[in-house]
Amino acid sequence: LNELVKRHLQEKQQVLEENTALRMLVQEQCSLKDEEIDDALGDAITNIRRTNDDVNRVLLLSAQTEIDTVQANARKQEAEI
């Protein structure tokens, strides 16, 4: 799970960097402000944010499940000692 989270964060960072570069290019070429770009993209931004939230929720649930499993195993080993 740790590797999955690490890869997800790396990919997310790459996407953010590419997004920033694209925004700068659009701003230079079209003389648009961030708000105007957001308005032009409309529903796409909302869908991206919703998907990102969903992915983060899944990762958090997976992490919590793994933590619960580790804690249960630790309690079990503790009880055996």
Side-chain angles (χ1 to χ4, degrees):
L1 179 63
N2 188 36
E3 283 300 314
L4 179 64
V5 170
K6 190 186 295 186
R7 257 186 279 132
H8 172 70
L9 291 174
Q10 289 170 343
E11 290 171 358
K12 192 172 183 177
Q13 183 61 37
Q14 283 178 310
V15 168
L16 289 173
E17 289 170 3
E18 291 172 8
N19 185 26
T20 299
L22 285 171
R23 280 183 173 273
M24 289 174 56
L25 181 63
V26 168
Q27 286 174 333
E28 289 173 12
Q29 297 296 318
C30 302
S31 301
L32 294 175
K33 297 177 185 176
D34 275 338
E35 299 81 28
E36 293 170 319
I37 294 171
D38 289 348
D39 289 343
L41 293 174
D43 291 340
I45 289 178
T46 302
N47 291 335
I48 289 168
R49 287 185 179 135
R50 189 175 300 128
T51 300
N52 188 46
D53 289 346
D54 291 344
V55 169
N56 288 337
R57 253 186 239 101
V58 168
L59 289 173
L60 285 172
L61 287 171
S62 296
Q64 186 60 54
T65 300
E66 190 169 326
I67 289 167
D68 292 344
T69 301
V70 169
Q71 287 175 337
N73 288 338
R75 284 191 296 273
K76 182 179 176 183
Q77 288 178 351
E78 209 173 73
E80 291 175 356
I81 296 177

